């Protein structure tokens, strides 16, 4: 895993060929990203989720989740972790109106996240 601070409360995280899992944990920020390869499997809000290459994922602050490879090949992703205060500033004090499901194939959401990650 490689991470780089992009500013106060904004961190870019990149992972490659993860073959082990993460224990249940939560973040105090939004985690917004794209699965880059393999199958990303995680339990979030009581359900098992699978994110395939190119699919978007959005995890809200303080939500317990884990993570592990969904196949023998491992997985990778690029994400940006954004402090909730930045989201509140950008939305005038509201929370983001993200999709209810943590994994999405919506092309507009994927394009917006790719732009956020600098993939354009």
């Amino acid at each position: 895993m490689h991470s780089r601070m992009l500013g106060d409360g904004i961190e870019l995280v990149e992972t490659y060929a993860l073959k082990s899992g993460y224990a249940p944990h939560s973040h105090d920020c939004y985690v917004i990203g794209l699965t880059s390869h393999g199958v990303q499997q995680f339990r979030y809000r009581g359900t098992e989720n699978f994110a395939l290459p190119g699919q978007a994922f959005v995890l809200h602050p303080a939500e317990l989740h884990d993570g592990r490879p969904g196949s023998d090949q491992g997985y990778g992703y690029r994400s940006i972790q954004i402090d909730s205060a930045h989201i509140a500033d950008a939305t005038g004090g509201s929370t983001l109106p993200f999709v209810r499901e943590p994994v999405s194939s919506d092309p507009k959401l994927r394009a917006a996240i790719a732009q956020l990650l600098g993939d354009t």
Side-chain angles (χ1 to χ4, degrees):
M1 176 171 41
H2 173 73
S3 67
R4 178 170 44 113
M5 294 302 294
L6 301 178
D8 185 36
I10 303 173
E11 183 176 8
L12 177 67
V13 176
E14 299 177 273
T15 64
Y16 311 94
L18 291 173
K19 294 201 175 196
S20 61
Y22 295 110
H25 65 283
S26 64
H27 302 269
D28 59 354
C29 58
Y30 285 89
V31 179
I32 303 166
L34 297 172
T35 301
S36 57
H37 63 277
V39 179
Q40 182 178 187
Q41 183 176 352
F42 59 98
R43 187 158 189 79
Y44 179 79
R45 293 183 176 168
T47 61
E48 203 64 29
N49 296 276
F50 298 87
L52 303 175
Q55 286 188 303
F57 58 92
V58 177
L59 305 179
H60 290 264
E63 293 282 353
L64 189 66
H65 63 282
D66 63 10
R68 63 196 164 286
S71 71
D72 292 338
Q73 289 75 37
Y75 71 100
Y77 62 85
R78 294 185 75 228
S79 70
I80 194 154
Q81 297 184 0
I82 304 175
D83 187 279
S84 300
H86 291 302
I87 301 300
D89 288 346
T91 61
S94 300
T95 58
L96 281 177
F98 276 130
V99 293
R100 295 173 80 177
E101 299 299 320
V103 177
S104 176
S105 294
D106 180 88
K108 289 181 182 177
L109 179 59
R110 289 178 16 212
I113 293 172
Q115 184 176 6
L116 184 66
L117 293 170
D119 291 349
T120 57

